[in-house]
Amino acid sequence: MQDWRRDKRAFGVLILPPSAWLVLFFTLPLAIVWVYSFGERGPLGQTLLALSFDNYGRAVEWINLSIILKSVWIAAVTTAICLVLGFPLAMGIAFAPARYKNLLLLLVILPFWTNLLIRTYAWIAVLRTKGYLNFALEWVHERIGAVLSLLGLPDLLGPFEPLLLLYNQPAVIIGLVYVNLPFLVLPVYATLEKLDKSYLEASLDLGAGQWRTLFSVTAPLAFPGIFTGLLLVFILALGTFLTPDLLGGPRSIMIGNLIAQQFGPARDWPFGSALSFLLMYATFVFLWIKAAVARQGGGVSY
Amino acid sequence: MSKPSLSRFSRRNFLHGASAAAVAFAALPRRGWGAEEKKLNVYNWDTYIGETTLTTFTDTTGIAVQYDLFANNEELFAKLKAGNPGYDVIFPSDSYVADMISLNMLMPIDHGKIPNLKNIDPDPNFSNPAFNPGLKFGVPYMWGTIGVGYRKSKVETPTSWGDLLDSDKYSQRIALLADARSVMGIALKYLGYSMNTTNQDELDKVRDLLVKQKPHIKTFAPDSGQDLLLSGEVDIVMEWNGDIISTMEEDADLAYVVPKEGTQVWTDNICIPVGAPHPENAHAFLNHIHDPEVNAEIANTIKYATANKAAKAFLPTEDLANPAIYPPSEVVSNSESLVSVGDFTPMYDRAWTEILAA
């Protein structure tokens, strides 16, 4: 195999198409949005180019900042739940017998084969007042009621009151956890898979219990994967707009919805662009933290 | 038809864009002198045309129709804003017609090529609307109202918007539209102001009213109010009349009413965008739509009110007498159409953000 250091031309030919693609379809549109973010909204919703920082000033007003902070909070809760659910799942797959591994991984990836919009509508059918979850609860309720009336306590449970599960904040978080869980499971699984199992055996042999081994050996060794997963889930949840739009109630607006509002009905592209860039800067901060953590991690030898 | 405020089906836009681009590409090279090629590219709302409209057009004129769909005015506007991708006929709503005229996005129509213009209702709302004086840039199509859809067994017949906007009577059983201007506009009507106000105090009062009402509102439905009503999730919704009428056919317990304070009346229009590759054919299409029998077949299929007076002779009397389709004149005279508020638009957006964030 040729070393690219020795044959720069071959390297150049190979790198040209992807670079051109990135510049044309990623950097250039992004640059346009960046230029727009300093523009002004014309009276009819036109985007007028200008050099104004008004949009950024507006973006950090408390009303918009409060929506950004709430989005960060919702993304953080989503990420935490994904970790609690996803880490054991990843461990289960990593330590499963080899012949089941691929099947289990496939089950994690399977939801991606269906359109996100359809999966979100499916959650509406599950969570709504006359949805499948409430039907199931009602069925259980009736059965328990029947048993109780056999025991001579007919009115102990009272009539079934359906739970209000849709159009509120928990519904949004359920939707976000569901959508983003694979993004945590996959990187964590990848590091656990590569992990040298003899470390764990050594830990157990030397007297540490299962829990001690999990928290002092497995988790630290899998940290790069965990951190990547957390970051992925957090960033994806932070910028979401479909889930709060469909599952959320009157209080569920997130930064993504605010941006969509600007590019849609408000026809205020400059302000929407400024909000988008604010979100992007926030994302850069988190990526910078990741880079810093990675540098530190590189210094530790094990 | 539906009029959501958010374009949720953006993946679909790609297909529309691609097909429009293909159409434009195919249309351009063959455009020469003399008669136009026998083609027409129509861009309309979903489920917003008769079952036979297009086939009868092709049969009488020999012009083949390429038919594309959009989900809301924003999508239509965004598609044409950067230049017409090849459409000949579009169906924008009133305030968008005004904006598109100001931005030179519409072609003036030649009334001499549309003899069926004589069939249009002489009421100035249709024959000389404020957003399109003298019908210079298009002809009216269908019109309707925003009103209250409700479940008769659970809700007393609403007479005031207050049931939705200023009362805890139906707490957590209410859904409003997710359309900022429409919801705030109707709240303005409820408080006795114009729905096109540019007075900050009035807008602030509307914001305070809606913030106070929010604990009782289940959700701002992005054009799904009729589904929420049908599935029993809520019992009273603010919705476009046609959406409720179509669900009333599925569930006899549902009804539609326009409250006494008046409402938003909208008119959709048929226009020819600047850069249309087949303007002659487009005029023929406008004329075809306003043929009384063709028009009646459309109105009969989609159950919206037609702006074509001659077509009413071919419509079932129960539709003409249905106040949900053709609201009584006192309701209409009490109502307003949305118009562009120009530089004041960001104030509406800000108030809406404050309502949603509260």
Side-chain angles (χ1 to χ4, degrees), chain A residues 61 121 128-129 167 250 267, chain B residues 8 99 218 228 233 350:
Chain A
E61 279 174 21
Y121 272 107
R128 65 184 170 198
T129 313
Y167 304 118
R267 272 195 265 153
Chain B
R8 281 172 288 129
D99 283 0
K218 184 138 210 175
L228 299 181
E233 194 70 34
R350 186 198 181 89

Side-chain angles (χ1 to χ4, degrees), chain A residues 41 43-46 61 63 67 117 121 128-130 164 167 245 248 250 253 258 261-262 265-267, chain B residues 5-6 8-9 77 96 99 102-103 214 217-219 228 231 233 342-343 345 349-350 352-354 356:
Chain A
R41 180 194 193 275
L44 295 166
Q46 317 95 306
E61 279 174 21
I63 178 75
I67 293 175
L117 196 62
Y121 272 107
R128 65 184 170 198
T129 313
K130 291 183 180 163
L164 299 177
Y167 304 118
D245 196 37
I253 186 173
L258 191 60
Q261 175 84 6
Q262 302 312 316
R267 272 195 265 153
Chain B
S5 69
L6 286 171
R8 281 172 288 129
F9 302 95
F77 185 85
Y96 276 80
D99 283 0
S102 313
L103 293 167
K214 246 178 73 167
I217 298 170
K218 184 138 210 175
T219 190
L228 299 181
S231 69
E233 194 70 34
D343 282 333
T345 310
D349 178 59
R350 186 198 181 89
W352 184 244
T353 306
E354 284 171 348
L356 294 184

Side-chain angles (χ1 to χ4, degrees), chain A residues 68-84 173 176-177 180 184 230-231 233-239 254 286:
Chain A
I68 295 175
L69 292 178
K70 198 173 85 180
S71 308
V72 169
W73 167 242
I74 290 178
V77 172
T78 301
T79 312
I81 297 176
C82 278
L83 178 65
V84 171
I173 290 175
L176 285 175
V177 167
N180 291 315
L184 190 119
L230 290 178
L231 203 72
V233 171
F234 182 80
I235 289 173
L236 287 171
L238 187 63
M254 288 176 73
F286 292 113

Side-chain angles (χ1 to χ4, degrees), chain A:
Chain A
M1 206 180 91
Q2 273 186 315
D3 186 352
W4 69 268
R5 283 172 226 276
R6 262 180 271 152
D7 192 349
K8 291 223 162 79
R9 266 177 314 172
F11 177 71
V13 167
L14 283 177
I15 201 75
L16 194 68
S19 311
W21 199 89
L22 266 180
V23 168
L24 208 61
F25 296 113
F26 180 74
T27 317
L28 216 60
L30 214 58
I32 293 172
V33 174
W34 189 72
V35 169
Y36 277 173
S37 74
F38 298 102
E40 281 167 4
R41 180 194 193 275
L44 295 166
Q46 317 95 306
T47 305
L48 308 175
L49 296 184
L51 186 60
S52 140
F53 288 89
D54 291 356
N55 297 314
Y56 287 97
R58 233 177 110 191
V60 295
E61 279 174 21
W62 173 242
I63 178 75
N64 297 316
L65 213 55
S66 70
I67 293 175
I68 295 175
L69 292 178
K70 198 173 85 180
S71 308
V72 169
W73 167 242
I74 290 178
V77 172
T78 301
T79 312
I81 297 176
C82 278
L83 178 65
V84 171
L85 296 177
F87 186 76
L89 186 58
M91 245 177 87
I93 300 174
F95 295 128
R99 61 203 156 110
Y100 293 127
K101 258 184 205 177
N102 281 338
L103 179 68
L104 291 170
L105 268 182
L106 185 74
L107 288 177
V108 171
I109 302 167
L110 204 60
F112 286 118
W113 294 7
T114 312
N115 185 299
L116 174 63
L117 196 62
I118 292 166
R119 286 185 280 148
T120 309
Y121 272 107
W123 272 109
I124 294 181
V126 171
L127 294 176
R128 65 184 170 198
T129 313
K130 291 183 180 163
Y132 297 121
L133 195 56
N134 271 318
F135 284 154
L137 289 173
E138 189 174 9
W139 188 84
V140 171
H141 182 275
E142 274 173 12
R143 293 300 166 281
I144 294 175
V147 170
L148 285 179
S149 59
L150 279 180
L151 298 173
L153 299 162
D155 296 323
L156 198 64
L157 279 182
F160 177 72
E161 282 292 328
L163 297 177
L164 299 177
L165 302 163
L166 194 56
Y167 304 118
N168 48 34
Q169 222 63 276
V172 174
I173 290 175
I174 290 172
L176 285 175
V177 167
Y178 163 74
V179 168
N180 291 315
L181 192 60
F183 294 104
L184 190 119
V185 172
L186 295 177
V188 174
Y189 165 79
T191 47
L192 286 176
E193 171 70 48
K194 281 182 293 184
L195 196 138
D196 189 342
K197 308 281 188 300
S198 55
Y199 287 123
L200 310 186
E201 285 160 14
S203 166
L204 292 170
D205 282 351
L206 294 171
Q210 291 288 355
W211 287 106
R212 181 90 197 271
T213 304
L214 176 65
F215 287 107
S216 307
V217 182
T218 317
L221 284 177
F223 185 71
I226 295 174
F227 195 78
T228 306
L230 290 178
L231 203 72
L232 266 177
V233 171
F234 182 80
I235 289 173
L236 287 171
L238 187 63
T240 187
F241 105 99
L242 185 80
T243 311
D245 196 37
L246 291 184
L247 303 180
R251 274 160 294 272
S252 303
I253 186 173
M254 288 176 73
I255 176 79
N257 305 94
L258 191 60
I259 294 172
Q261 175 84 6
Q262 302 312 316
F263 283 92
R267 272 195 265 153
D268 197 343
W269 288 27
F271 181 48
S273 303
L275 283 170
S276 306
F277 262 86
L278 215 61
L279 182 63
M280 196 130 69
Y281 293 141
T283 310
F284 283 147
V285 170
F286 292 113
L287 287 175
W288 176 77
I289 295 174
K290 176 184 156 56
V293 168
R295 264 200 308 279
Q296 265 192 346
V300 181
S301 58
Y302 35 73

Side-chain angles (χ1 to χ4, degrees), chain B residues 248-305:
Chain B
M248 279 158 65
E249 288 169 6
E250 291 175 56
D251 186 340
D253 195 22
L254 303 181
Y256 177 87
V257 69
V258 175
K260 62 175 190 282
E261 293 93 352
T263 186
Q264 178 188 328
V265 172
W266 51 266
T267 314
D268 285 337
N269 304 271
I270 325 177
C271 302
I272 306 175
V274 164
H278 314 101
E280 290 291 325
N281 298 348
H283 279 86
F285 187 75
L286 264 57
N287 193 49
H288 179 71
I289 293 282
H290 276 293
D291 176 87
E293 286 186 63
V294 170
N295 198 280
E297 195 269 324
I298 300 173
N300 208 7
T301 306
I302 62 180
K303 298 294 175 199
Y304 274 100

Side-chain angles (χ1 to χ4, degrees), chain B residues 35 62-63 106 166 196 251 304 315 317 334 348:
Chain B
I63 298 166
L106 298 182
D166 196 9
N196 296 306
D251 186 340
Y304 274 100
L315 284 173
T317 41
N334 221 355
Y348 273 94

